[in-house]
């Protein structure tokens, strides 16, 4: 399971971050696709040179498989588990731009520089579920962000669905529209201490701060993490400098991170926040920490040879 957020600094530059929660890692690392790397899309022919892309993922058969990433223009993409709801095409659809589910983050980041551009193109896209390098397709939905806005992309039995992400948050199933509606059950939650009152002849007042948050869900269920992340993201004060915004990113995602032993999957294995990643459009950087090593590491586009034709790892 996973949680993602987006926010902007005082100058309107955006930050995107996510927790990847699972029972194990996948050998992921910081992976950069330089401008001159070329390959072949599953259905749409040659991948031409284009903007460099940096993110967290794995390279298989010289192909970057991103869990989340950002391109040089600052467009960010992250995929989160959407099992039971995602339903891809079983083969290419005539008359559509066909994108394999495993290549979706790279396809977006390589071809577009803004959310508006990506959204306009997605109206004619079919997402196709195909195996790659022996791996079955992961059932995901995606959050795409830039400095101006974010959207959620879901591909279900109803086809392509695109939502304006008005809360800049994404978790897992059920669908995004359901999560937005569910927030109405918590609109009364507040960071303020509620005013004292009297019941019959008994005066009542809060013990202290946090009383206004009573009712905010604290479990790891996807519906609860969505609400909690939306609350934390909405009430965190806007920051000016890069260091403060990096702290904001990791503190907010820490509010929905999973601790070993607290949640056990159907396999019997314990789920943890395998890694937390973050992206800064202003700093052109990727931030990264893991469960075993929570120290935040920073990687910038300038740390890599962006004119290379070969994939690069940190």
């Amino acid at each position: 399971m996973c949680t993602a957020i987006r926010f902007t600094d005082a100058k309107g530059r955006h930050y995107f971050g996510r927790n990847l929660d699972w029972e194990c890692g996948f050998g992921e690392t910081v992976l950069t696709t330089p401008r001159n790397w070329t390959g072949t899309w599953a259905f749409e022919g040659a991948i031409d040179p284009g903007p460099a892309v940096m993110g967290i993922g794995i390279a298989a058969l010289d192909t970057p498989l991103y869990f989340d990433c950002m391109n040089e223009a600052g467009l960010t993409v992250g995929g989160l588990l959407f099992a039971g709801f995602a339903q891809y095409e079983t083969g290419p659809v005539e008359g559509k731009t066909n994108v394999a589910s495993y290549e979706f983050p790279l396809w977006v980041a390589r071809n577009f520089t803004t959310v508006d551009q990506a959204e306009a193109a997605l109206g004619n896209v079919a997402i196709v579920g195909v195996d790659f390098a022996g791996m079955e397709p992961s059932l995901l939905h995606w959050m795409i962000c830039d400095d101006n806005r974010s959207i959620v992309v879901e591909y279900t039995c109803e086809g392509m669905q695109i939502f304006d992400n008005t809360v800049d948050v994404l978790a897992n199933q059920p669908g995004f529209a359901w999560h937005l509606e569910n927030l109405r059950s918590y609109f009364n939650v507040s960071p303020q201490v509620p005013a004292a009152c009297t019941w019959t002849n008994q005066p009542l007042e809060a013990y202290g701060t946090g009383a206004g948050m009573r009712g905010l869900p604290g479990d790891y269920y996807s519906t609860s993490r969505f609400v909690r992340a939306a609350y934390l993201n909405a009430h965190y004060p806007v920051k000016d400098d890069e260091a403060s915004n990096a702290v904001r990113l990791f503190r907010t995602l820490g509010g929905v991170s999973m601790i070993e032993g607290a949640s056990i999957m159907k396999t019997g294995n314990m789920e943890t926040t395998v890694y937390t990643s973050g992206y800064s459009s202003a700093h052109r950087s990727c931030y990264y920490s893991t469960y075993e090593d929570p120290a935040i590491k920073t990687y910038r586009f300038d740390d890599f040879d962006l004119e290379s034709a070969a994939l690069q790892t940190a």
Side-chain angles (χ1 to χ4, degrees):
M1 311 297 270
C2 309
T3 314
I5 63 168
R6 171 199 175 271
F7 59 84
T8 55
D9 66 9
K11 296 181 179 179
R13 300 170 299 192
H14 91 282
Y15 294 77
F16 168 78
R18 62 88 55 86
N19 291 337
L20 188 143
D21 308 320
W22 199 244
E23 60 185 299
C24 63
F26 301 90
E28 66 279 345
T29 187
V30 177
L31 175 66
T32 298
T33 303
R35 298 166 185 147
N36 291 311
W37 174 86
T38 58
T40 304
W41 300 117
F43 303 102
E44 297 298 322
I47 303 174
D48 296 324
V53 179
M54 177 173 56
I56 311 302
I58 59 177
L61 303 180
D62 196 40
T63 299
L65 308 177
Y66 284 111
F67 304 142
D68 43 85
C69 60
M70 177 177 72
N71 68 18
E72 292 181 88
L75 186 69
T76 52
V77 189
L80 283 68
L81 187 66
F82 196 43
F85 289 81
Q87 184 173 314
Y88 307 142
E89 304 293 343
T90 57
V93 178
E94 186 175 356
K96 295 282 190 178
T97 299
N98 292 282
V99 180
S101 57
Y102 67 80
E103 66 190 8
F104 185 81
L106 177 65
W107 182 81
V108 171
R110 193 73 163 188
N111 287 303
F112 309 106
T113 58
T114 69
V115 169
D116 288 348
Q117 291 174 359
E119 183 178 21
L122 285 168
N124 193 49
V125 165
I127 298 180
V128 187
V130 292
D131 294 355
F132 183 81
M135 295 177 284
E136 295 181 356
S138 298
L139 298 173
L140 307 173
H141 57 178
W142 297 270
M143 186 167 165
I144 306 175
C145 316
D146 64 13
D147 288 353
N148 295 312
R149 57 192 290 248
S150 70
I151 59 174
V152 172
V153 178
E154 297 181 344
Y155 206 87
T156 68
C157 61
E158 299 180 12
M160 175 68 72
Q161 295 178 295
I162 303 171
F163 303 92
D164 188 20
N165 192 344
T166 51
V167 291
D168 285 332
V169 168
L170 188 61
N172 311 105
Q173 53 273 18
F176 182 72
W178 187 97
H179 282 294
L180 281 187
E181 182 67 19
N182 186 50
L183 288 180
R184 294 175 62 184
S185 298
Y186 302 94
F187 80 97
N188 59 302
V189 176
S190 167
Q192 305 298 326
V193 177
C197 66
T198 299
W199 287 7
T200 311
N201 295 315
Q202 178 61 41
L204 302 171
E205 62 179 342
Y207 294 123
T209 58
M213 295 172 60
R214 298 273 294 174
L216 189 70
D219 58 82
Y220 291 158
Y221 205 45
S222 61
T223 57
S224 299
R225 283 183 284 104
F226 188 100
V227 172
R228 199 157 68 254
Y231 173 85
L232 295 173
N233 199 39
H235 291 94
Y236 208 110
V238 174
K239 299 296 182 180
D240 294 315
D241 61 286
E242 186 69 22
S244 295
N245 281 296
V247 169
R248 173 180 177 177
L249 191 68
F250 279 80
R251 288 295 188 185
T252 302
L253 289 169
V256 289
S257 64
M258 293 193 173
I259 306 302
E260 188 173 10
S263 178
I264 298 177
M265 301 182 70
K266 291 180 180 179
T267 59
N269 296 324
M270 291 177 285
E271 189 170 17
T272 64
T273 295
V274 176
Y275 75 77
T276 300
S277 61
Y279 300 89
S280 164
S281 68
H283 199 239
R284 287 168 47 88
S285 60
C286 168
Y287 298 107
Y288 182 60
S289 70
T290 67
Y291 191 88
E292 292 78 13
D293 184 5
I296 301 170
K297 297 177 175 61
T298 305
Y299 304 88
R300 304 192 67 176
F301 274 108
D302 294 342
D303 296 334
F304 300 90
D305 179 5
L306 300 184
E307 296 300 332
S308 172
L311 300 177
Q312 300 168 48
T313 57

mmCIF file with all atom_site columns, all heavy atoms in Angstrom, residues 184-202:
data_model
loop_
_atom_site.group_PDB
_atom_site.id
_atom_site.type_symbol
_atom_site.label_atom_id
_atom_site.label_alt_id
_atom_site.label_comp_id
_atom_site.label_asym_id
_atom_site.label_entity_id
_atom_site.label_seq_id
_atom_site.pdbx_PDB_ins_code
_atom_site.Cartn_x
_atom_site.Cartn_y
_atom_site.Cartn_z
_atom_site.occupancy
_atom_site.B_iso_or_equiv
_atom_site.pdbx_formal_charge
_atom_site.auth_seq_id
_atom_site.auth_comp_id
_atom_site.auth_asym_id
_atom_site.auth_atom_id
_atom_site.pdbx_PDB_model_num
ATOM 1   N N   . ARG A 1 184 ? -15.844 14.258 3.556  1.00 0.00 ? 184 ARG A N   1
ATOM 2   C CA  . ARG A 1 184 ? -16.945 14.997 4.172  1.00 0.00 ? 184 ARG A CA  1
ATOM 3   C C   . ARG A 1 184 ? -17.267 14.474 5.573  1.00 0.00 ? 184 ARG A C   1
ATOM 4   O O   . ARG A 1 184 ? -17.876 15.190 6.386  1.00 0.00 ? 184 ARG A O   1
ATOM 5   C CB  . ARG A 1 184 ? -18.188 14.914 3.296  1.00 0.00 ? 184 ARG A CB  1
ATOM 6   C CG  . ARG A 1 184 ? -18.045 15.607 1.955  1.00 0.00 ? 184 ARG A CG  1
ATOM 7   C CD  . ARG A 1 184 ? -19.263 15.412 1.062  1.00 0.00 ? 184 ARG A CD  1
ATOM 8   N NE  . ARG A 1 184 ? -20.459 15.978 1.663  1.00 0.00 ? 184 ARG A NE  1
ATOM 9   C CZ  . ARG A 1 184 ? -21.675 15.860 1.116  1.00 0.00 ? 184 ARG A CZ  1
ATOM 10  N NH1 . ARG A 1 184 ? -21.829 15.198 -0.027 1.00 0.00 ? 184 ARG A NH1 1
ATOM 11  N NH2 . ARG A 1 184 ? -22.727 16.401 1.708  1.00 0.00 ? 184 ARG A NH2 1
ATOM 12  N N   . SER A 1 185 ? -16.860 13.253 5.873  1.00 0.00 ? 185 SER A N   1
ATOM 13  C CA  . SER A 1 185 ? -17.096 12.696 7.209  1.00 0.00 ? 185 SER A CA  1
ATOM 14  C C   . SER A 1 185 ? -16.141 13.265 8.253  1.00 0.00 ? 185 SER A C   1
ATOM 15  O O   . SER A 1 185 ? -16.311 13.024 9.449  1.00 0.00 ? 185 SER A O   1
ATOM 16  C CB  . SER A 1 185 ? -16.944 11.165 7.172  1.00 0.00 ? 185 SER A CB  1
ATOM 17  O OG  . SER A 1 185 ? -17.898 10.582 6.309  1.00 0.00 ? 185 SER A OG  1
ATOM 18  N N   . TYR A 1 186 ? -15.136 14.034 7.799  1.00 0.00 ? 186 TYR A N   1
ATOM 19  C CA  . TYR A 1 186 ? -14.115 14.529 8.719  1.00 0.00 ? 186 TYR A CA  1
ATOM 20  C C   . TYR A 1 186 ? -13.914 16.035 8.611  1.00 0.00 ? 186 TYR A C   1
ATOM 21  O O   . TYR A 1 186 ? -12.931 16.550 9.147  1.00 0.00 ? 186 TYR A O   1
ATOM 22  C CB  . TYR A 1 186 ? -12.784 13.817 8.415  1.00 0.00 ? 186 TYR A CB  1
ATOM 23  C CG  . TYR A 1 186 ? -12.874 12.320 8.536  1.00 0.00 ? 186 TYR A CG  1
ATOM 24  C CD1 . TYR A 1 186 ? -13.143 11.537 7.421  1.00 0.00 ? 186 TYR A CD1 1
ATOM 25  C CD2 . TYR A 1 186 ? -12.727 11.691 9.764  1.00 0.00 ? 186 TYR A CD2 1
ATOM 26  C CE1 . TYR A 1 186 ? -13.246 10.156 7.520  1.00 0.00 ? 186 TYR A CE1 1
ATOM 27  C CE2 . TYR A 1 186 ? -12.830 10.304 9.881  1.00 0.00 ? 186 TYR A CE2 1
ATOM 28  C CZ  . TYR A 1 186 ? -13.093 9.553  8.757  1.00 0.00 ? 186 TYR A CZ  1
ATOM 29  O OH  . TYR A 1 186 ? -13.204 8.187  8.867  1.00 0.00 ? 186 TYR A OH  1
ATOM 30  N N   . PHE A 1 187 ? -14.838 16.755 7.954  1.00 0.00 ? 187 PHE A N   1
ATOM 31  C CA  . PHE A 1 187 ? -14.629 18.185 7.740  1.00 0.00 ? 187 PHE A CA  1
ATOM 32  C C   . PHE A 1 187 ? -14.597 18.963 9.048  1.00 0.00 ? 187 PHE A C   1
ATOM 33  O O   . PHE A 1 187 ? -14.111 20.088 9.109  1.00 0.00 ? 187 PHE A O   1
ATOM 34  C CB  . PHE A 1 187 ? -15.701 18.751 6.795  1.00 0.00 ? 187 PHE A CB  1
ATOM 35  C CG  . PHE A 1 187 ? -17.016 19.026 7.449  1.00 0.00 ? 187 PHE A CG  1
ATOM 36  C CD1 . PHE A 1 187 ? -17.345 20.300 7.892  1.00 0.00 ? 187 PHE A CD1 1
ATOM 37  C CD2 . PHE A 1 187 ? -17.944 18.000 7.643  1.00 0.00 ? 187 PHE A CD2 1
ATOM 38  C CE1 . PHE A 1 187 ? -18.563 20.556 8.494  1.00 0.00 ? 187 PHE A CE1 1
ATOM 39  C CE2 . PHE A 1 187 ? -19.157 18.250 8.247  1.00 0.00 ? 187 PHE A CE2 1
ATOM 40  C CZ  . PHE A 1 187 ? -19.479 19.535 8.683  1.00 0.00 ? 187 PHE A CZ  1
ATOM 41  N N   . ASN A 1 188 ? -15.123 18.376 10.130 1.00 0.00 ? 188 ASN A N   1
ATOM 42  C CA  . ASN A 1 188 ? -15.149 19.048 11.423 1.00 0.00 ? 188 ASN A CA  1
ATOM 43  C C   . ASN A 1 188 ? -13.820 18.960 12.162 1.00 0.00 ? 188 ASN A C   1
ATOM 44  O O   . ASN A 1 188 ? -13.601 19.672 13.144 1.00 0.00 ? 188 ASN A O   1
ATOM 45  C CB  . ASN A 1 188 ? -16.238 18.440 12.307 1.00 0.00 ? 188 ASN A CB  1
ATOM 46  C CG  . ASN A 1 188 ? -16.019 16.950 12.538 1.00 0.00 ? 188 ASN A CG  1
ATOM 47  O OD1 . ASN A 1 188 ? -15.960 16.189 11.566 1.00 0.00 ? 188 ASN A OD1 1
ATOM 48  N ND2 . ASN A 1 188 ? -15.905 16.528 13.791 1.00 0.00 ? 188 ASN A ND2 1
ATOM 49  N N   . VAL A 1 189 ? -12.912 18.092 11.707 1.00 0.00 ? 189 VAL A N   1
ATOM 50  C CA  . VAL A 1 189 ? -11.625 17.926 12.385 1.00 0.00 ? 189 VAL A CA  1
ATOM 51  C C   . VAL A 1 189 ? -10.807 19.207 12.219 1.00 0.00 ? 189 VAL A C   1
ATOM 52  O O   . VAL A 1 189 ? -10.743 19.786 11.132 1.00 0.00 ? 189 VAL A O   1
ATOM 53  C CB  . VAL A 1 189 ? -10.877 16.715 11.819 1.00 0.00 ? 189 VAL A CB  1
ATOM 54  C CG1 . VAL A 1 189 ? -9.501  16.588 12.455 1.00 0.00 ? 189 VAL A CG1 1
ATOM 55  C CG2 . VAL A 1 189 ? -11.680 15.441 12.050 1.00 0.00 ? 189 VAL A CG2 1
ATOM 56  N N   . SER A 1 190 ? -10.168 19.642 13.293 1.00 0.00 ? 190 SER A N   1
ATOM 57  C CA  . SER A 1 190 ? -9.490  20.940 13.276 1.00 0.00 ? 190 SER A CA  1
ATOM 58  C C   . SER A 1 190 ? -8.226  20.903 14.136 1.00 0.00 ? 190 SER A C   1
ATOM 59  O O   . SER A 1 190 ? -8.166  20.188 15.141 1.00 0.00 ? 190 SER A O   1
ATOM 60  C CB  . SER A 1 190 ? -10.443 22.016 13.816 1.00 0.00 ? 190 SER A CB  1
ATOM 61  O OG  . SER A 1 190 ? -9.754  23.210 14.092 1.00 0.00 ? 190 SER A OG  1
ATOM 62  N N   . PRO A 1 191 ? -7.213  21.688 13.772 1.00 0.00 ? 191 PRO A N   1
ATOM 63  C CA  . PRO A 1 191 ? -6.034  21.788 14.635 1.00 0.00 ? 191 PRO A CA  1
ATOM 64  C C   . PRO A 1 191 ? -6.261  22.669 15.863 1.00 0.00 ? 191 PRO A C   1
ATOM 65  O O   . PRO A 1 191 ? -5.422  22.706 16.772 1.00 0.00 ? 191 PRO A O   1
ATOM 66  C CB  . PRO A 1 191 ? -4.979  22.405 13.713 1.00 0.00 ? 191 PRO A CB  1
ATOM 67  C CG  . PRO A 1 191 ? -5.755  23.161 12.695 1.00 0.00 ? 191 PRO A CG  1
ATOM 68  C CD  . PRO A 1 191 ? -7.034  22.398 12.493 1.00 0.00 ? 191 PRO A CD  1
ATOM 69  N N   . GLN A 1 192 ? -7.397  23.368 15.902 1.00 0.00 ? 192 GLN A N   1
ATOM 70  C CA  . GLN A 1 192 ? -7.678  24.268 17.018 1.00 0.00 ? 192 GLN A CA  1
ATOM 71  C C   . GLN A 1 192 ? -8.235  23.506 18.230 1.00 0.00 ? 192 GLN A C   1
ATOM 72  O O   . GLN A 1 192 ? -8.888  22.470 18.087 1.00 0.00 ? 192 GLN A O   1
ATOM 73  C CB  . GLN A 1 192 ? -8.688  25.334 16.590 1.00 0.00 ? 192 GLN A CB  1
ATOM 74  C CG  . GLN A 1 192 ? -8.281  26.130 15.365 1.00 0.00 ? 192 GLN A CG  1
ATOM 75  C CD  . GLN A 1 192 ? -7.005  26.911 15.580 1.00 0.00 ? 192 GLN A CD  1
ATOM 76  O OE1 . GLN A 1 192 ? -6.739  27.393 16.682 1.00 0.00 ? 192 GLN A OE1 1
ATOM 77  N NE2 . GLN A 1 192 ? -6.208  27.041 14.532 1.00 0.00 ? 192 GLN A NE2 1
ATOM 78  N N   . VAL A 1 193 ? -7.981  24.052 19.416 1.00 0.00 ? 193 VAL A N   1
ATOM 79  C CA  . VAL A 1 193 ? -8.573  23.495 20.632 1.00 0.00 ? 193 VAL A CA  1
ATOM 80  C C   . VAL A 1 193 ? -10.034 23.930 20.692 1.00 0.00 ? 193 VAL A C   1
ATOM 81  O O   . VAL A 1 193 ? -10.343 25.128 20.588 1.00 0.00 ? 193 VAL A O   1
ATOM 82  C CB  . VAL A 1 193 ? -7.840  23.999 21.889 1.00 0.00 ? 193 VAL A CB  1
ATOM 83  C CG1 . VAL A 1 193 ? -8.503  23.472 23.152 1.00 0.00 ? 193 VAL A CG1 1
ATOM 84  C CG2 . VAL A 1 193 ? -6.368  23.586 21.842 1.00 0.00 ? 193 VAL A CG2 1
ATOM 85  N N   . PRO A 1 194 ? -10.980 22.997 20.821 1.00 0.00 ? 194 PRO A N   1
ATOM 86  C CA  . PRO A 1 194 ? -12.393 23.387 20.859 1.00 0.00 ? 194 PRO A CA  1
ATOM 87  C C   . PRO A 1 194 ? -12.720 24.254 22.084 1.00 0.00 ? 194 PRO A C   1
ATOM 88  O O   . PRO A 1 194 ? -12.076 24.134 23.139 1.00 0.00 ? 194 PRO A O   1
ATOM 89  C CB  . PRO A 1 194 ? -13.136 22.057 20.935 1.00 0.00 ? 194 PRO A CB  1
ATOM 90  C CG  . PRO A 1 194 ? -12.132 20.976 20.894 1.00 0.00 ? 194 PRO A CG  1
ATOM 91  C CD  . PRO A 1 194 ? -10.779 21.565 20.953 1.00 0.00 ? 194 PRO A CD  1
ATOM 92  N N   . ALA A 1 195 ? -13.703 25.098 21.902 1.00 0.00 ? 195 ALA A N   1
ATOM 93  C CA  . ALA A 1 195 ? -14.117 25.969 23.006 1.00 0.00 ? 195 ALA A CA  1
ATOM 94  C C   . ALA A 1 195 ? -14.750 25.146 24.127 1.00 0.00 ? 195 ALA A C   1
ATOM 95  O O   . ALA A 1 195 ? -15.359 24.102 23.884 1.00 0.00 ? 195 ALA A O   1
ATOM 96  C CB  . ALA A 1 195 ? -15.114 27.005 22.498 1.00 0.00 ? 195 ALA A CB  1
ATOM 97  N N   . ALA A 1 196 ? -14.584 25.614 25.346 1.00 0.00 ? 196 ALA A N   1
ATOM 98  C CA  . ALA A 1 196 ? -15.213 24.960 26.498 1.00 0.00 ? 196 ALA A CA  1
ATOM 99  C C   . ALA A 1 196 ? -16.729 25.092 26.408 1.00 0.00 ? 196 ALA A C   1
ATOM 100 O O   . ALA A 1 196 ? -17.260 25.996 25.752 1.00 0.00 ? 196 ALA A O   1
ATOM 101 C CB  . ALA A 1 196 ? -14.703 25.579 27.795 1.00 0.00 ? 196 ALA A CB  1
ATOM 102 N N   . CYS A 1 197 ? -17.413 24.175 27.074 1.00 0.00 ? 197 CYS A N   1
ATOM 103 C CA  . CYS A 1 197 ? -18.872 24.221 27.067 1.00 0.00 ? 197 CYS A CA  1
ATOM 104 C C   . CYS A 1 197 ? -19.384 23.662 28.401 1.00 0.00 ? 197 CYS A C   1
ATOM 105 O O   . CYS A 1 197 ? -18.598 23.253 29.257 1.00 0.00 ? 197 CYS A O   1
ATOM 106 C CB  . CYS A 1 197 ? -19.450 23.432 25.899 1.00 0.00 ? 197 CYS A CB  1
ATOM 107 S SG  . CYS A 1 197 ? -19.152 21.660 25.998 1.00 0.00 ? 197 CYS A SG  1
ATOM 108 N N   . THR A 1 198 ? -20.691 23.653 28.557 1.00 0.00 ? 198 THR A N   1
ATOM 109 C CA  . THR A 1 198 ? -21.303 23.118 29.771 1.00 0.00 ? 198 THR A CA  1
ATOM 110 C C   . THR A 1 198 ? -22.419 22.165 29.391 1.00 0.00 ? 198 THR A C   1
ATOM 111 O O   . THR A 1 198 ? -23.265 22.479 28.533 1.00 0.00 ? 198 THR A O   1
ATOM 112 C CB  . THR A 1 198 ? -21.879 24.246 30.645 1.00 0.00 ? 198 THR A CB  1
ATOM 113 O OG1 . THR A 1 198 ? -20.819 25.121 31.025 1.00 0.00 ? 198 THR A OG1 1
ATOM 114 C CG2 . THR A 1 198 ? -22.541 23.681 31.901 1.00 0.00 ? 198 THR A CG2 1
ATOM 115 N N   . TRP A 1 199 ? -22.398 20.971 29.988 1.00 0.00 ? 199 TRP A N   1
ATOM 116 C CA  . TRP A 1 199 ? -23.492 20.013 29.856 1.00 0.00 ? 199 TRP A CA  1
ATOM 117 C C   . TRP A 1 199 ? -24.260 20.006 31.171 1.00 0.00 ? 199 TRP A C   1
ATOM 118 O O   . TRP A 1 199 ? -23.722 19.656 32.219 1.00 0.00 ? 199 TRP A O   1
ATOM 119 C CB  . TRP A 1 199 ? -22.954 18.621 29.557 1.00 0.00 ? 199 TRP A CB  1
ATOM 120 C CG  . TRP A 1 199 ? -22.418 18.451 28.145 1.00 0.00 ? 199 TRP A CG  1
ATOM 121 C CD1 . TRP A 1 199 ? -22.249 19.410 27.189 1.00 0.00 ? 199 TRP A CD1 1
ATOM 122 C CD2 . TRP A 1 199 ? -21.977 17.221 27.569 1.00 0.00 ? 199 TRP A CD2 1
ATOM 123 N NE1 . TRP A 1 199 ? -21.728 18.880 26.049 1.00 0.00 ? 199 TRP A NE1 1
ATOM 124 C CE2 . TRP A 1 199 ? -21.546 17.514 26.242 1.00 0.00 ? 199 TRP A CE2 1
ATOM 125 C CE3 . TRP A 1 199 ? -21.901 15.897 28.032 1.00 0.00 ? 199 TRP A CE3 1
ATOM 126 C CZ2 . TRP A 1 199 ? -21.045 16.534 25.390 1.00 0.00 ? 199 TRP A CZ2 1
ATOM 127 C CZ3 . TRP A 1 199 ? -21.408 14.931 27.181 1.00 0.00 ? 199 TRP A CZ3 1
ATOM 128 C CH2 . TRP A 1 199 ? -20.996 15.247 25.865 1.00 0.00 ? 199 TRP A CH2 1
ATOM 129 N N   . THR A 1 200 ? -25.506 20.401 31.111 1.00 0.00 ? 200 THR A N   1
ATOM 130 C CA  . THR A 1 200 ? -26.313 20.573 32.317 1.00 0.00 ? 200 THR A CA  1
ATOM 131 C C   . THR A 1 200 ? -25.576 21.543 33.236 1.00 0.00 ? 200 THR A C   1
ATOM 132 O O   . THR A 1 200 ? -25.491 22.727 32.925 1.00 0.00 ? 200 THR A O   1
ATOM 133 C CB  . THR A 1 200 ? -26.611 19.222 32.991 1.00 0.00 ? 200 THR A CB  1
ATOM 134 O OG1 . THR A 1 200 ? -27.091 18.300 31.998 1.00 0.00 ? 200 THR A OG1 1
ATOM 135 C CG2 . THR A 1 200 ? -27.687 19.391 34.075 1.00 0.00 ? 200 THR A CG2 1
ATOM 136 N N   . ASN A 1 201 ? -25.023 21.070 34.342 1.00 0.00 ? 201 ASN A N   1
ATOM 137 C CA  . ASN A 1 201 ? -24.281 21.957 35.244 1.00 0.00 ? 201 ASN A CA  1
ATOM 138 C C   . ASN A 1 201 ? -22.794 21.644 35.276 1.00 0.00 ? 201 ASN A C   1
ATOM 139 O O   . ASN A 1 201 ? -22.068 22.162 36.140 1.00 0.00 ? 201 ASN A O   1
ATOM 140 C CB  . ASN A 1 201 ? -24.849 21.849 36.660 1.00 0.00 ? 201 ASN A CB  1
ATOM 141 C CG  . ASN A 1 201 ? -26.277 22.346 36.743 1.00 0.00 ? 201 ASN A CG  1
ATOM 142 O OD1 . ASN A 1 201 ? -26.601 23.406 36.192 1.00 0.00 ? 201 ASN A OD1 1
ATOM 143 N ND2 . ASN A 1 201 ? -27.147 21.582 37.406 1.00 0.00 ? 201 ASN A ND2 1
ATOM 144 N N   . GLN A 1 202 ? -22.318 20.787 34.340 1.00 0.00 ? 202 GLN A N   1
ATOM 145 C CA  . GLN A 1 202 ? -20.921 20.366 34.349 1.00 0.00 ? 202 GLN A CA  1
ATOM 146 C C   . GLN A 1 202 ? -20.122 21.094 33.276 1.00 0.00 ? 202 GLN A C   1
ATOM 147 O O   . GLN A 1 202 ? -20.344 20.919 32.086 1.00 0.00 ? 202 GLN A O   1
ATOM 148 C CB  . GLN A 1 202 ? -20.816 18.858 34.110 1.00 0.00 ? 202 GLN A CB  1
ATOM 149 C CG  . GLN A 1 202 ? -19.401 18.324 34.051 1.00 0.00 ? 202 GLN A CG  1
ATOM 150 C CD  . GLN A 1 202 ? -18.628 18.547 35.344 1.00 0.00 ? 202 GLN A CD  1
ATOM 151 O OE1 . GLN A 1 202 ? -19.172 18.372 36.441 1.00 0.00 ? 202 GLN A OE1 1
ATOM 152 N NE2 . GLN A 1 202 ? -17.378 18.957 35.218 1.00 0.00 ? 202 GLN A NE2 1
#
